[in-house]
Amino acid sequence: MIKKWWKEGIVYQLYPRSFQDSNGDGVGDIPGIISRLDYLKELGVTMIWLNPVYQSPNDDMGYDISDYRQISAEFGTMEDMETLIRELHNRDMKLLMDLVVNHTSDEHQWFLESRKSKDNPYRDYYIWKEPVEGKEPNDWQSSFSGSAWEYDETTGQYYLHLFSKKQPDLNWDNPKVREEIYDMMTFWLDKGIDGFRMDVINYIGKNFKTNEHMNQANTHAYLHEMNEKVLSKYDIMTVGETPCVTPESATLFVKEDREELNMLFQFEHMGVDTMADRYVPREFNPKELMDILEKWQMNLGDDCWNSLYLNNHDQTRAVSRFGNDTKYRKESAKMLATMLHMQKGTPYILQGEEIGMTNCVWNSKEEWRDISSINYFTENQEKEEEEALFERINYNSRDNSRTPMQWNDKDNAGFTTGKPWIKVNENYKNINVEEALADKESIFYYYKKLIALRKERPIMVYGSYQPVNTGMENFFAFLREYEGEKWLVLLNYSEEEKNYEFDKHLGFTAGKTIISNYENGTNRFLPYEARVIEVTRKCD
Ligand code: TEU
Ligand code: CA
């Protein structure tokens, strides 16, 4: 196993729009982030993944970029950005920027040119097709409802947009597009950033013969070229966001000798409580979540690497979705953190996860800000009862993870002195950073301890992962081993107390407890109890 700093790191996902406003306009900004860096240093994270801060009309909250080399005025200036990079490095923290290059905004100069005429030099920067029998070129659907093709009157052709109409897909088969992107990446890397999170990067190569747009051979060719021409020239980290990969298809992106990416965000565990349609809920079963996480632990080779995450800005908050955010919020948040951080891979913490922020109660669709929810409601409101539709969208609305960071119990949770761009979760009065820092048993200090452990104990990073069958429902265990050290991780993933004599059943002799969310050492595990114990095998 080759040692790397990005295997040993802990990433904090920072959603700039909702982190800290500094000028009272209700929108988080870069000076606001800079004012909070010491808080992140206190937590101990080593890297920040910054969601997009580039110029954008915000049709998809910054994932529709109109200028890759300009900072959006609402977030600040390029000088602010350069200060942020410097201030992070001064604190021994690294910065991952969000690379959104499957598509641009339709307000990007390239698209404004491209749509002017069929022979415009920028025409082939995007994907234009003739109508087929007067209709869309194929049946591809947008992630944000409706067809993935938009008809453009000016030239009588359709352009492809796998996301919103205002997010036209770039044509990666065009070498000029690839050169433009590589130049832009170099521009940012030369400013000293430490890597990229790459948005839906497995969509960039399309195959119109087989009508597929994920994980295509041309995508791998382009990523290898990107690695050769740009990535390999810097000591950086890359994480690809890749919906619909399996451990087998993921290997083709992250196996070291492929020279493409370092790790991926896979999505398999993000579907454990919904149908393929994210707004059709289904019953959540902890064993399904654990089985998927374990599958990814066991089926990526030693020359590959996992990311570890339970939520992000596209998913709902982990303690509400996978834990119990009412009776056992602190205990279940700490159990989920133990389950994740004790696995093999680089852990990602969504802003607010470290203080157990929860999903929000939405009172009307006017409170929504996310195009995904809004379009889905519009598309379905004629087909079903409005209240039921509203409720099932709320269950998995991306806005749940995008409400403002809860700093204290003052107005707007200390996020802004103005009117916040999206509502603050009403529970900010008792769930906030100030309260967490004052409570030595808080979720914050538990995360801080997990992060410190990862820095001190190589077994957490480089130890092997071995499933352990407890034979009990919703009581999970796994073993980490490294250079003779063995840690047994035990998780009572339920509200019930459970007797489990792991030493007798599993043939281990228990040593020191490394970390636990309870002061308990008995074989009667409490609700959502997590315990990590140094063990030796009885036969050792
Ligand atoms: O997400 C891609 C993606 O697959 C999910 O957004 C999914 O399509 C969405 O949650 C609807 O189900 C990335 C970004 O993380 C997301 O914020 C952007 O909206 C999207 O790409 C387009 O850039
Ligand atoms: Ca602001």
Side-chain angles (χ1 to χ4, degrees):
M1 169 67 64
I2 301 172
K3 297 201 174 195
K4 294 280 184 186
W5 57 263
W6 42 265
K7 292 182 179 177
E8 299 164 9
I10 304 98
V11 187
Y12 190 88
Q13 179 190 353
L14 199 155
Y15 195 73
R17 201 169 189 79
S18 300
F19 192 65
Q20 177 67 66
D21 175 21
S22 71
N23 62 350
D25 67 356
V27 176
D29 46 52
I30 295 171
I33 297 171
I34 293 168
S35 74
R36 294 290 185 180
L37 291 184
D38 290 336
Y39 165 72
L40 299 175
K41 189 65 187 166
E42 159 87 15
L43 179 58
V45 294
T46 61
M47 286 183 257
I48 306 296
W49 156 27
L50 185 64
N51 286 102
V53 289
Y54 317 97
Q55 204 170 78
S56 164
N58 287 321
D59 190 53
D60 182 18
M61 292 307 153
Y63 280 91
D64 48 317
I65 295 166
S66 52
D67 189 330
Y68 288 106
R69 300 181 194 221
Q70 293 290 334
I71 299 299
S72 173
E74 60 186 357
F75 290 134
T77 63
M78 186 56 87
E79 290 67 36
D80 293 330
M81 192 64 222
E82 287 160 356
T83 304
L84 175 60
I85 295 169
R86 192 171 55 251
E87 288 304 316
L88 280 167
H89 289 167
N90 288 346
R91 292 170 176 78
D92 261 347
M93 289 192 276
K94 293 178 182 287
L95 177 66
L96 301 181
M97 294 280 276
D98 217 315
L99 186 73
V100 187
V101 292
N102 172 69
H103 47 271
T104 69
S105 164
D106 67 347
E107 297 179 26
H108 194 291
Q109 196 51 34
W110 298 340
F111 191 72
L112 298 179
E113 285 300 319
S114 178
R115 72 184 319 167
K116 275 181 184 167
S117 68
K118 286 182 185 174
D119 58 2
N120 183 290
Y122 288 87
R123 187 68 175 182
D124 288 341
Y125 272 46
Y126 295 87
I127 297 169
W128 295 92
K129 297 268 181 219
E130 288 294 331
V132 171
E133 290 154 22
K135 293 197 302 186
E136 291 80 2
N138 68 27
D139 62 356
W140 290 1
Q141 293 298 299
S142 154
S143 274
F144 299 147
S145 307
S147 166
W149 296 95
E150 178 69 8
Y151 185 69
D152 193 68
E153 289 290 342
T154 314
T155 58
Q157 289 189 331
Y158 285 87
Y159 67 83
L160 176 67
H161 62 87
L162 293 177
F163 292 94
S164 86
K165 293 182 174 55
K166 286 181 67 61
Q167 293 171 290
D169 281 56
L170 280 167
N171 172 16
W172 272 76
D173 292 337
N174 182 344
K176 288 198 204 96
V177 166
R178 302 203 300 271
E179 283 314 310
E180 295 267 18
I181 298 299
Y182 301 159
D183 283 352
M184 177 269 288
M185 293 173 72
T186 301
F187 168 83
W188 282 106
L189 289 165
D190 287 347
K191 283 192 177 296
I193 70 167
D194 305 286
F196 292 105
R197 175 266 186 186
M198 299 190 186
D199 192 62
V200 285
I201 200 68
N202 62 324
Y203 287 15
I204 60 174
K206 279 79 173 173
N207 182 331
F208 289 103
K209 291 190 186 62
T210 62
N211 259 357
E212 293 170 291
H213 63 74
M214 285 191 220
N215 310 329
Q216 295 302 298
N218 48 354
T219 294
H220 288 292
Y222 303 149
L223 285 177
H224 187 73
E225 180 186 67
M226 181 194 284
N227 190 304
E228 194 184 336
K229 292 192 169 180
V230 182
L231 304 175
S232 59
K233 296 180 170 22
Y234 301 85
D235 179 19
I236 56 168
M237 166 185 150
T238 54
V239 51
E241 186 215 26
T242 49
C244 306
V245 286
T246 62
E248 293 69 34
S249 58
T251 299
L252 297 178
F253 287 97
V254 298
K255 195 168 180 293
E256 276 147 24
D257 64 6
R258 296 277 299 179
E259 296 177 334
E260 292 183 21
L261 303 177
N262 296 139
M263 67 186 92
L264 299 180
F265 291 135
Q266 57 88 9
F267 278 56
E268 225 174 315
H269 59 317
M270 291 293 120
V272 292
D273 60 346
T274 65
M275 308 303 277
D277 176 337
R278 67 173 291 142
Y279 297 120
V280 179
R282 68 183 171 91
E283 193 190 348
F284 166 58
N285 170 351
K287 184 166 180 350
E288 191 177 345
L289 173 62
M290 197 63 204
D291 286 351
I292 290 170
L293 292 175
E294 201 136 83
K295 171 180 156 187
W296 280 85
Q297 290 291 301
M298 302 306 288
N299 292 283
L300 273 191
D302 269 355
D303 50 4
C304 300
W305 194 251
N306 264 305
S307 73
L308 304 171
Y309 77 97
L310 290 175
N311 46 194
N312 59 40
H313 66 294
D314 295 331
Q315 306 296 335
T316 56
R317 286 198 168 273
V319 69
S320 301
R321 184 179 196 181
F322 301 127
N324 174 312
D325 66 1
T326 49
K327 193 173 172 193
Y328 295 104
R329 186 177 64 88
K330 284 170 76 172
E331 293 81 359
S332 67
K334 293 176 182 178
M335 184 218 65
L336 289 168
T338 310
M339 176 182 80
L340 195 77
H341 285 247
M342 285 295 160
Q343 295 197 13
K344 189 171 185 177
T346 300
Y348 291 73
I349 300 167
L350 171 67
Q351 71 182 42
E353 175 190 332
E354 80 279 10
I355 59 168
M357 276 175 64
T358 69
N359 285 351
C360 216
V361 173
W362 302 97
N363 304 310
S364 77
K365 62 183 179 14
E366 284 63 38
E367 291 182 341
W368 290 342
R369 294 294 175 270
D370 179 18
I371 188 169
S372 175
S373 306
I374 292 164
N375 283 9
Y376 189 91
F377 186 90
T378 305
E379 186 176 73
N380 291 283
Q381 65 182 21
E382 301 305 320
K383 303 173 199 165
E384 67 182 277
E385 197 275 320
E386 202 163 296
E387 187 53 31
L389 174 61
F390 177 69
E391 284 314 321
R392 73 181 177 87
I393 293 173
N394 284 336
Y395 173 78
N396 205 18
S397 160
R398 304 196 299 180
D399 281 330
N400 281 299
S401 282
R402 301 177 179 191
T403 61
M405 184 69 181
Q406 294 164 202
W407 294 104
N408 55 47
D409 61 3
K410 310 286 184 305
D411 285 355
N412 298 314
F415 164 68
T416 180
T417 54
K419 181 176 176 350
W421 71 278
I422 187 170
K423 82 172 191 179
V424 176
N425 192 320
E426 279 118 24
N427 62 20
Y428 76 91
K429 286 207 178 297
N430 52 53
I431 299 177
N432 60 69
V433 165
E434 205 163 84
E435 170 271 330
L437 292 176
D439 166 13
K440 65 178 180 38
E441 298 306 319
S442 65
I443 300 164
F444 176 88
Y445 288 118
Y446 195 84
Y447 269 80
K448 182 175 176 172
K449 192 172 174 189
L450 282 171
I451 291 166
L453 270 175
R454 180 171 286 269
K455 292 176 181 175
E456 289 150 22
R457 310 295 292 268
I459 185 172
M460 267 177 93
V461 180
Y462 297 109
S464 62
Y465 180 103
Q466 216 177 306
V468 172
N469 181 2
T470 65
M472 288 173 68
E473 192 190 16
N474 292 345
F475 193 101
F476 306 122
F478 56 88
L479 189 73
R480 301 294 306 274
E481 281 196 73
Y482 183 73
E483 295 181 353
E485 249 189 311
K486 289 181 183 62
W487 285 7
L488 180 64
V489 181
L490 297 162
L491 306 164
N492 177 14
Y493 200 140
S494 73
E495 293 186 17
E496 291 75 43
E497 293 194 10
K498 287 197 172 98
N499 286 321
Y500 185 55
E501 297 179 31
F502 63 90
D503 37 2
K504 196 167 75 182
H505 294 167
L506 299 175
F508 289 116
T509 303
K512 190 157 96 40
T513 295
I514 299 292
I515 188 169
S516 177
N517 56 354
Y518 283 95
E519 291 297 327
N520 173 27
T522 71
N523 281 340
R524 182 157 183 79
F525 285 77
L526 301 170
Y528 293 104
E529 179 165 358
R531 206 186 299 177
V532 182
I533 310 163
E534 253 170 10
V535 294
T536 49
R537 282 194 204 291
K538 287 212 164 66
C539 55
D540 280 359

Short mmCIF file of all heavy atoms in Angstrom, two decimals, residues 200-237:
data_model
loop_
_atom_site.label_atom_id
_atom_site.label_comp_id
_atom_site.label_asym_id
_atom_site.label_seq_id
_atom_site.Cartn_x
_atom_site.Cartn_y
_atom_site.Cartn_z
N VAL A 200 -19.80 15.12 -11.79
CA VAL A 200 -20.28 14.13 -12.77
C VAL A 200 -19.27 13.83 -13.87
O VAL A 200 -19.59 13.81 -15.05
CB VAL A 200 -21.63 14.52 -13.40
CG1 VAL A 200 -22.77 14.31 -12.44
CG2 VAL A 200 -21.61 15.97 -13.92
N ILE A 201 -18.04 13.57 -13.44
CA ILE A 201 -16.94 13.44 -14.40
C ILE A 201 -17.09 12.20 -15.27
O ILE A 201 -16.54 12.14 -16.36
CB ILE A 201 -15.59 13.50 -13.67
CG1 ILE A 201 -14.46 13.86 -14.66
CG2 ILE A 201 -15.33 12.20 -12.92
CD1 ILE A 201 -14.54 15.29 -15.19
N ASN A 202 -17.87 11.22 -14.82
CA ASN A 202 -18.05 10.01 -15.65
C ASN A 202 -19.13 10.20 -16.71
O ASN A 202 -19.47 9.26 -17.43
CB ASN A 202 -18.37 8.78 -14.78
CG ASN A 202 -19.66 8.93 -14.00
OD1 ASN A 202 -19.99 10.02 -13.54
ND2 ASN A 202 -20.39 7.84 -13.84
N TYR A 203 -19.63 11.46 -16.85
CA TYR A 203 -20.62 11.74 -17.92
C TYR A 203 -19.95 12.38 -19.13
O TYR A 203 -20.59 12.59 -20.15
CB TYR A 203 -21.69 12.72 -17.42
CG TYR A 203 -22.71 12.22 -16.44
CD1 TYR A 203 -22.55 11.02 -15.75
CD2 TYR A 203 -23.86 12.97 -16.18
CE1 TYR A 203 -23.51 10.59 -14.84
CE2 TYR A 203 -24.82 12.55 -15.27
CZ TYR A 203 -24.65 11.36 -14.60
OH TYR A 203 -25.60 10.92 -13.70
N ILE A 204 -18.66 12.78 -19.03
CA ILE A 204 -18.13 13.70 -20.06
C ILE A 204 -18.04 13.07 -21.44
O ILE A 204 -18.17 13.74 -22.45
CB ILE A 204 -16.75 14.28 -19.64
CG1 ILE A 204 -15.72 13.17 -19.44
CG2 ILE A 204 -16.90 15.16 -18.43
CD1 ILE A 204 -14.31 13.71 -19.16
N GLY A 205 -17.84 11.74 -21.51
CA GLY A 205 -17.76 11.09 -22.83
C GLY A 205 -19.11 10.48 -23.17
O GLY A 205 -19.62 9.65 -22.42
N LYS A 206 -19.69 10.89 -24.29
CA LYS A 206 -20.99 10.32 -24.69
C LYS A 206 -20.75 9.38 -25.86
O LYS A 206 -19.80 9.53 -26.63
CB LYS A 206 -21.94 11.44 -25.13
CG LYS A 206 -22.64 12.19 -24.00
CD LYS A 206 -21.76 13.23 -23.34
CE LYS A 206 -22.56 14.06 -22.33
NZ LYS A 206 -21.68 14.97 -21.55
N ASN A 207 -21.67 8.39 -26.01
CA ASN A 207 -21.58 7.45 -27.14
C ASN A 207 -22.95 7.44 -27.82
O ASN A 207 -23.89 6.84 -27.31
CB ASN A 207 -21.21 6.06 -26.62
CG ASN A 207 -21.06 5.07 -27.77
OD1 ASN A 207 -21.71 5.23 -28.82
ND2 ASN A 207 -20.21 4.08 -27.59
N PHE A 208 -23.04 8.15 -28.95
CA PHE A 208 -24.35 8.27 -29.61
C PHE A 208 -24.66 7.08 -30.49
O PHE A 208 -25.75 6.96 -31.04
CB PHE A 208 -24.43 9.60 -30.38
CG PHE A 208 -24.53 10.78 -29.46
CD1 PHE A 208 -23.42 11.58 -29.21
CD2 PHE A 208 -25.70 11.04 -28.77
CE1 PHE A 208 -23.50 12.65 -28.32
CE2 PHE A 208 -25.80 12.10 -27.88
CZ PHE A 208 -24.68 12.91 -27.65
N LYS A 209 -23.69 6.16 -30.62
CA LYS A 209 -24.01 4.93 -31.37
C LYS A 209 -24.80 3.98 -30.45
O LYS A 209 -25.82 3.42 -30.80
CB LYS A 209 -22.72 4.23 -31.85
CG LYS A 209 -21.98 5.02 -32.94
CD LYS A 209 -20.87 4.18 -33.56
CE LYS A 209 -20.04 5.02 -34.54
NZ LYS A 209 -19.38 6.16 -33.81
N THR A 210 -24.29 3.87 -29.20
CA THR A 210 -24.99 2.96 -28.25
C THR A 210 -25.95 3.72 -27.34
O THR A 210 -26.54 3.16 -26.44
CB THR A 210 -23.94 2.26 -27.36
OG1 THR A 210 -23.27 3.30 -26.59
CG2 THR A 210 -22.92 1.49 -28.17
N ASN A 211 -26.02 5.07 -27.57
CA ASN A 211 -26.90 5.91 -26.76
C ASN A 211 -26.61 5.80 -25.26
O ASN A 211 -27.51 5.67 -24.44
CB ASN A 211 -28.37 5.55 -27.01
CG ASN A 211 -28.98 6.58 -27.97
OD1 ASN A 211 -28.29 7.53 -28.35
ND2 ASN A 211 -30.23 6.38 -28.34
N GLU A 212 -25.31 5.86 -24.91
CA GLU A 212 -24.92 5.83 -23.48
C GLU A 212 -24.11 7.06 -23.14
O GLU A 212 -23.38 7.59 -23.99
CB GLU A 212 -24.07 4.57 -23.22
CG GLU A 212 -24.82 3.26 -23.36
CD GLU A 212 -23.85 2.08 -23.31
OE1 GLU A 212 -23.07 1.91 -24.26
OE2 GLU A 212 -23.89 1.36 -22.29
N HIS A 213 -24.21 7.48 -21.86
CA HIS A 213 -23.42 8.66 -21.50
C HIS A 213 -22.73 8.52 -20.15
O HIS A 213 -22.35 9.50 -19.51
CB HIS A 213 -24.30 9.93 -21.50
CG HIS A 213 -25.40 9.91 -20.48
ND1 HIS A 213 -25.17 10.10 -19.13
CD2 HIS A 213 -26.72 9.74 -20.61
CE1 HIS A 213 -26.30 10.03 -18.48
NE2 HIS A 213 -27.27 9.81 -19.36
N MET A 214 -22.56 7.27 -19.68
CA MET A 214 -21.83 7.10 -18.42
C MET A 214 -20.70 6.10 -18.60
O MET A 214 -20.85 5.09 -19.29
CB MET A 214 -22.78 6.55 -17.34
CG MET A 214 -23.73 7.58 -16.79
SD MET A 214 -24.52 6.89 -15.35
CE MET A 214 -26.18 7.48 -15.55
N ASN A 215 -19.56 6.42 -17.98
CA ASN A 215 -18.44 5.45 -17.90
C ASN A 215 -17.97 4.95 -19.26
O ASN A 215 -17.57 3.81 -19.41
CB ASN A 215 -18.85 4.23 -17.03
CG ASN A 215 -19.45 4.65 -15.70
OD1 ASN A 215 -19.09 5.69 -15.16
ND2 ASN A 215 -20.38 3.88 -15.19
N GLN A 216 -18.06 5.81 -20.28
CA GLN A 216 -17.68 5.40 -21.62
C GLN A 216 -16.16 5.37 -21.81
O GLN A 216 -15.42 6.06 -21.10
CB GLN A 216 -18.30 6.35 -22.64
CG GLN A 216 -19.84 6.28 -22.66
CD GLN A 216 -20.35 4.88 -22.97
OE1 GLN A 216 -20.08 4.33 -24.03
NE2 GLN A 216 -21.02 4.28 -22.00
N ALA A 217 -15.72 4.63 -22.82
CA ALA A 217 -14.28 4.49 -23.09
C ALA A 217 -13.64 5.85 -23.36
O ALA A 217 -12.54 6.13 -22.89
CB ALA A 217 -14.08 3.56 -24.28
N ASN A 218 -14.37 6.74 -24.07
CA ASN A 218 -13.75 8.04 -24.36
C ASN A 218 -13.54 8.85 -23.08
O ASN A 218 -12.58 9.61 -22.95
CB ASN A 218 -14.52 8.82 -25.42
CG ASN A 218 -16.02 8.89 -25.16
OD1 ASN A 218 -16.53 8.27 -24.22
ND2 ASN A 218 -16.73 9.64 -25.99
N THR A 219 -14.42 8.64 -22.09
CA THR A 219 -14.22 9.33 -20.80
C THR A 219 -12.89 8.94 -20.19
O THR A 219 -12.12 9.79 -19.73
CB THR A 219 -15.37 8.97 -19.83
OG1 THR A 219 -16.58 9.51 -20.36
CG2 THR A 219 -15.12 9.52 -18.43
N HIS A 220 -12.58 7.64 -20.22
CA HIS A 220 -11.30 7.20 -19.65
C HIS A 220 -10.12 7.76 -20.46
O HIS A 220 -9.10 8.18 -19.89
CB HIS A 220 -11.25 5.67 -19.60
CG HIS A 220 -12.15 5.10 -18.55
ND1 HIS A 220 -11.92 5.26 -17.20
CD2 HIS A 220 -13.32 4.41 -18.66
CE1 HIS A 220 -12.89 4.67 -16.51
NE2 HIS A 220 -13.76 4.15 -17.38
N ALA A 221 -10.29 7.82 -21.76
CA ALA A 221 -9.20 8.36 -22.60
C ALA A 221 -8.94 9.82 -22.23
O ALA A 221 -7.79 10.25 -22.08
CB ALA A 221 -9.59 8.22 -24.07
N TYR A 222 -10.04 10.58 -22.03
CA TYR A 222 -9.88 12.01 -21.72
C TYR A 222 -9.29 12.20 -20.31
O TYR A 222 -8.46 13.08 -20.09
CB TYR A 222 -11.21 12.73 -21.86
CG TYR A 222 -11.83 12.58 -23.24
CD1 TYR A 222 -13.21 12.57 -23.44
CD2 TYR A 222 -11.02 12.41 -24.37
CE1 TYR A 222 -13.77 12.40 -24.70
CE2 TYR A 222 -11.56 12.25 -25.64
CZ TYR A 222 -12.93 12.23 -25.79
OH TYR A 222 -13.48 12.07 -27.04
N LEU A 223 -9.70 11.37 -19.37
CA LEU A 223 -9.15 11.54 -18.00
C LEU A 223 -7.68 11.17 -17.97
O LEU A 223 -6.87 11.78 -17.26
CB LEU A 223 -9.96 10.70 -17.01
CG LEU A 223 -11.34 11.28 -16.66
CD1 LEU A 223 -12.10 10.34 -15.73
CD2 LEU A 223 -11.20 12.65 -16.02
N HIS A 224 -7.31 10.17 -18.75
CA HIS A 224 -5.88 9.79 -18.81
C HIS A 224 -5.08 10.93 -19.43
O HIS A 224 -4.01 11.30 -18.96
CB HIS A 224 -5.72 8.50 -19.61
CG HIS A 224 -4.32 7.97 -19.57
ND1 HIS A 224 -3.78 7.38 -18.44
CD2 HIS A 224 -3.33 8.00 -20.49
CE1 HIS A 224 -2.52 7.05 -18.69
NE2 HIS A 224 -2.22 7.41 -19.92
N GLU A 225 -5.65 11.54 -20.45
CA GLU A 225 -4.99 12.69 -21.12
C GLU A 225 -4.90 13.86 -20.13
O GLU A 225 -3.86 14.52 -20.01
CB GLU A 225 -5.82 13.10 -22.33
CG GLU A 225 -5.25 14.27 -23.11
CD GLU A 225 -6.20 14.72 -24.22
OE1 GLU A 225 -7.31 15.23 -23.89
OE2 GLU A 225 -5.85 14.58 -25.40
N MET A 226 -5.99 14.09 -19.38
CA MET A 226 -5.98 15.18 -18.37
C MET A 226 -4.89 14.92 -17.34
O MET A 226 -4.16 15.83 -16.93
CB MET A 226 -7.36 15.23 -17.68
CG MET A 226 -7.49 16.32 -16.63
SD MET A 226 -8.95 16.06 -15.59
CE MET A 226 -10.26 16.59 -16.69
N ASN A 227 -4.76 13.65 -16.94
CA ASN A 227 -3.74 13.30 -15.94
C ASN A 227 -2.35 13.57 -16.51
O ASN A 227 -1.51 14.21 -15.88
CB ASN A 227 -3.91 11.82 -15.56
CG ASN A 227 -3.05 11.45 -14.36
OD1 ASN A 227 -1.85 11.64 -14.38
ND2 ASN A 227 -3.68 10.96 -13.30
N GLU A 228 -2.15 13.14 -17.73
CA GLU A 228 -0.83 13.28 -18.37
C GLU A 228 -0.48 14.76 -18.57
O GLU A 228 0.59 15.21 -18.21
CB GLU A 228 -0.91 12.58 -19.72
CG GLU A 228 0.41 12.31 -20.40
CD GLU A 228 0.15 11.69 -21.79
OE1 GLU A 228 -0.93 11.09 -21.99
OE2 GLU A 228 1.02 11.86 -22.67
N LYS A 229 -1.46 15.54 -19.05
CA LYS A 229 -1.17 16.94 -19.43
C LYS A 229 -1.22 17.90 -18.24
O LYS A 229 -0.64 18.97 -18.27
CB LYS A 229 -2.14 17.40 -20.50
CG LYS A 229 -1.94 16.69 -21.83
CD LYS A 229 -2.71 17.36 -22.96
CE LYS A 229 -2.28 16.80 -24.32
NZ LYS A 229 -3.04 17.43 -25.43
N VAL A 230 -1.99 17.55 -17.19
CA VAL A 230 -2.18 18.53 -16.09
C VAL A 230 -1.91 17.90 -14.73
O VAL A 230 -0.97 18.23 -14.04
CB VAL A 230 -3.61 19.11 -16.12
CG1 VAL A 230 -3.77 20.16 -15.02
CG2 VAL A 230 -3.93 19.69 -17.48
N LEU A 231 -2.73 16.93 -14.35
CA LEU A 231 -2.74 16.46 -12.95
C LEU A 231 -1.37 15.95 -12.51
O LEU A 231 -0.92 16.21 -11.40
CB LEU A 231 -3.80 15.37 -12.79
CG LEU A 231 -5.23 15.73 -13.18
CD1 LEU A 231 -6.14 14.50 -13.08
CD2 LEU A 231 -5.76 16.87 -12.33
N SER A 232 -0.70 15.22 -13.41
CA SER A 232 0.57 14.57 -13.02
C SER A 232 1.68 15.59 -12.75
O SER A 232 2.72 15.24 -12.17
CB SER A 232 1.02 13.62 -14.14
OG SER A 232 1.19 14.39 -15.34
N LYS A 233 1.43 16.83 -13.11
CA LYS A 233 2.48 17.85 -12.94
C LYS A 233 2.46 18.48 -11.55
O LYS A 233 3.29 19.34 -11.23
CB LYS A 233 2.34 18.93 -14.02
CG LYS A 233 2.54 18.40 -15.45
CD LYS A 233 2.41 19.49 -16.47
CE LYS A 233 2.82 19.09 -17.89
NZ LYS A 233 2.83 17.69 -18.24
N TYR A 234 1.49 18.08 -10.70
CA TYR A 234 1.34 18.73 -9.38
C TYR A 234 1.15 17.66 -8.29
O TYR A 234 0.69 16.55 -8.59
CB TYR A 234 0.09 19.63 -9.38
CG TYR A 234 0.11 20.73 -10.42
CD1 TYR A 234 -0.32 20.48 -11.73
CD2 TYR A 234 0.56 22.01 -10.11
CE1 TYR A 234 -0.31 21.49 -12.70
CE2 TYR A 234 0.58 23.03 -11.07
CZ TYR A 234 0.14 22.75 -12.36
OH TYR A 234 0.14 23.75 -13.32
N ASP A 235 1.49 18.01 -7.06
CA ASP A 235 1.24 17.09 -5.92
C ASP A 235 -0.15 17.39 -5.39
O ASP A 235 -0.33 18.13 -4.43
CB ASP A 235 2.30 17.32 -4.83
CG ASP A 235 2.04 16.39 -3.62
OD1 ASP A 235 1.31 15.39 -3.81
OD2 ASP A 235 2.51 16.70 -2.53
N ILE A 236 -1.14 16.81 -6.06
CA ILE A 236 -2.53 17.17 -5.76
C ILE A 236 -3.38 15.92 -5.56
O ILE A 236 -2.92 14.80 -5.74
CB ILE A 236 -3.15 18.00 -6.92
CG1 ILE A 236 -3.02 17.23 -8.24
CG2 ILE A 236 -2.49 19.37 -7.00
CD1 ILE A 236 -3.84 17.81 -9.37
N MET A 237 -4.63 16.14 -5.21
CA MET A 237 -5.59 15.06 -5.03
C MET A 237 -6.80 15.29 -5.93
O MET A 237 -7.17 16.44 -6.18
CB MET A 237 -6.06 15.06 -3.56
CG MET A 237 -7.29 14.22 -3.31
SD MET A 237 -7.80 14.43 -1.60
CE MET A 237 -9.55 14.20 -1.77
#
